[in-house]
Amino acid sequence: MALVPLATKGHYFHVYDFKVKPGRGDEFVELFNKFDYGDNNPFHRSAAQVKDGVLCRDTENPDRFYLIGEWRDIEEHRRIREFVAREIRPEFVQLIEGGHFVPNYADPGNYTVAKKLPSAN
C-alpha cells in the first residue's frame, strides 16, 4: 500500500466542480487543453504552482468536471485566476454552465494519520 500523500502540508488545493453545457464535454476538453498547454497560460509560469492541475471527468456524467491542483499560495492563485478571467478570457469558460469558473480552496494539512502497519515479523 502506498502511503505517499497527494499533497504537502502547508500547501493548498484548488478544487473546481463544474458542469458544461449539455453534450459539449468533448469540445470543452479540447478548448481547455488548448488554453492549459498553450503559451498564454500564466498559471504555469507561477512559482506558487506546485504541480500541474489535473482535469477529471465525472464517470457518471460526461458533462461534469473537476479540476484539482496544488499551490503554495491561495492569494497568488486567486490573483492569476482573476487576471485570466478579466484579460485572457479562455474560450472554454463559455461552455461552463453559468460561466462560473471559481474554485473552492482546500487545506490538505495532516488531518489523517497513517496507522502503524503490521510488522512483517
Side-chain angles (χ1 to χ4, degrees), residues 19-77:
K19 293 180 184 177
V20 298
K21 295 175 181 175
R24 309 284 298 271
D26 291 339
E27 181 182 0
F28 171 81
V29 170
E30 182 180 324
L31 291 174
F32 178 87
N33 285 333
K34 179 181 172 185
F35 168 75
D36 195 40
Y37 296 105
D39 295 334
N40 199 26
N41 184 344
F43 290 107
H44 292 194
R45 293 190 298 267
S46 174
Q49 183 182 37
V50 177
K51 295 177 189 160
D52 191 19
V54 61
L55 180 67
C56 305
R57 196 172 203 170
D58 191 296
T59 60
E60 303 287 320
N61 181 348
D63 292 324
R64 185 170 190 172
F65 293 86
Y66 310 96
L67 176 60
I68 303 164
E70 184 179 354
W71 282 68
R72 289 180 184 87
D73 186 329
I74 289 174
E75 292 308 315
E76 174 71 358
H77 180 270

Side-chain angles (χ1 to χ4, degrees), residues 1 4 25 31 35 95 109 120:
M1 174 189 317
V4 178
L31 291 174
F35 168 75
L95 296 179

Side-chain angles (χ1 to χ4, degrees), residues 31 45 66 77 80 82 89 97 113:
L31 291 174
R45 293 190 298 267
Y66 310 96
H77 180 270
I80 294 170
E82 290 171 356
R89 293 181 268 186
E97 286 187 350
V113 178

Side-chain angles (χ1 to χ4, degrees), residues 3 6 13 27 43 72 82 87 97 105 119:
L3 292 178
L6 194 58
F13 278 136
E27 181 182 0
F43 290 107
R72 289 180 184 87
E82 290 171 356
E87 301 294 329
E97 286 187 350
Y105 292 100
S119 172

